[in-house]
Amino acid sequence: MGRFGAQYINGTFYHDLHPVAGKLLIGLSEYVSGHNGSFTYTSGAEYPPHINYVFQRASMAVIGSLIVPFAYRTCRFLGFGRAAATMGASFVLLDNALCVLSRFILLDPILFCFIAMALMGYAGFARHRHQAFSAVWWRWLAFTGLSLGLAISTKWIGAFVVALVGLCTIEELAILYSDRKTSVLTQIKHWIARVVCLICIPLLVYLISFQIHFALLRSRGTGDYKMPSQFQSLQRNNVVSRQPHDVAIGSQITIRSHLPGFGLIYANETHRFPDNADELVAAGMPGKQANNWWEIVSGAAKKGNDTPSVRFIADGDILLLRHVGTKRYLRTGNAKPHNQGWDRRVVAAGNTTAPSAWDFWRVHIVDDVSPRPSGRLYAVTTRIQLTNKISGCLLTATPAQLP
């Protein structure tokens, strides 16, 4: 996890499965220890002299050690005596797994600390449940919500403690509902208090953690290809931010579906359809590679006296898309997709000298988020539909995967 902290320091964007609050704390410990972000914690690499890994591991150990007093306070709130609470805290203190995990730069000690905070907070809230709407009652309820937000913002496994507190809250509200002495107005207040503290506060903590995450990671990194092109255009040192905004005949472009996770349309000489070896697979592929590039070719008939000039793509234009690497055109036809019994197959086929009538596509501009004149195709900001001139079918993406 040390490499994520280093990326916060040097500002390079990354993409990871887990939420970001725990990694932000790791980055903070590295920053305080004097790390400049140059070392990325490659597996098996030797620590350079400027890396104070003792401080970084000590900070994780301190966070892990906080679980012990939290366990003691939780036991006390649940009605345990001092001796029993001390015994319970001792069990946590002497737990071998916690001792080992807290020695390393991992998300687990941070997650366990926030889970312990949430359990202590709800136990404290339950201890003062008869002092409804008092200052101490609000304090423990808000503290529980803050802890739940930190837990779910560290790892998705933190959702289990959210579910636990949620079930306890539902039981408590059900008991209030069955109590005839409790007025409807009081019950509404209880509902509002729990919605604000146990739903709104965790959600706010989660959103703030990502706001800090995106504010720190402003430069191109290893995970930017998983983000939309509009996001990439805002990053420093990204090729998307340096490219021309206008799209014209002869431009080389990449094509991405507006659906998340589809990736860029690619083709290569290796991936061919088993029932027609002359047709190359044209499909979505996550990540950027040389096989993603397509050249826009005019679909209008050429005249003998035409002079070369820049012609921008407008709504309704007819064009061909020629794959830069294989020199084949994006084509459809009557054949069905390989793994579906409906729609039409999209392939890369033909050659530069003999395009087929199935290679022509009509551009329809759906919308554009830029302030530039409408009716023109712009990179990154314009959403379009491509309609095959012969079949009238739209070029679409599906989540189906090829075998």
Side-chain angles (χ1 to χ4, degrees), residues 55-69 102-103 109 113:
F55 179 89
Q56 296 170 23
R57 285 192 170 187
S59 61
M60 295 298 104
V62 169
I63 293 175
S65 65
L66 293 176
I67 302 175
V68 178
S102 298
R103 295 178 55 211
C113 178

Side-chain angles (χ1 to χ4, degrees), residues 1 22 26 60 100-101 104-110:
M1 287 297 165
I26 292 175
M60 295 298 104
V100 173
L101 284 174
F104 297 101
I105 306 174
L106 297 172
L107 293 177
D108 300 271
I110 302 174

Side-chain angles (χ1 to χ4, degrees), residues 41 60 148 150 161 165 173 239 267 289 302 317 339:
Y41 294 83
M60 295 298 104
L148 291 176
L150 291 172
V161 71
V165 172
L173 291 173
V239 65
Q289 50 181 301
K302 292 185 178 181
D317 281 357
N339 58 341

Side-chain angles (χ1 to χ4, degrees), residues 216-236:
L216 292 176
L217 305 181
R218 300 301 300 273
S219 298
R220 179 185 180 185
T222 57
D224 61 336
Y225 73 91
K226 296 185 178 180
M227 305 300 290
S229 298
Q230 294 181 19
F231 175 86
Q232 296 179 36
S233 65
L234 300 176
Q235 291 182 299
R236 292 190 293 262

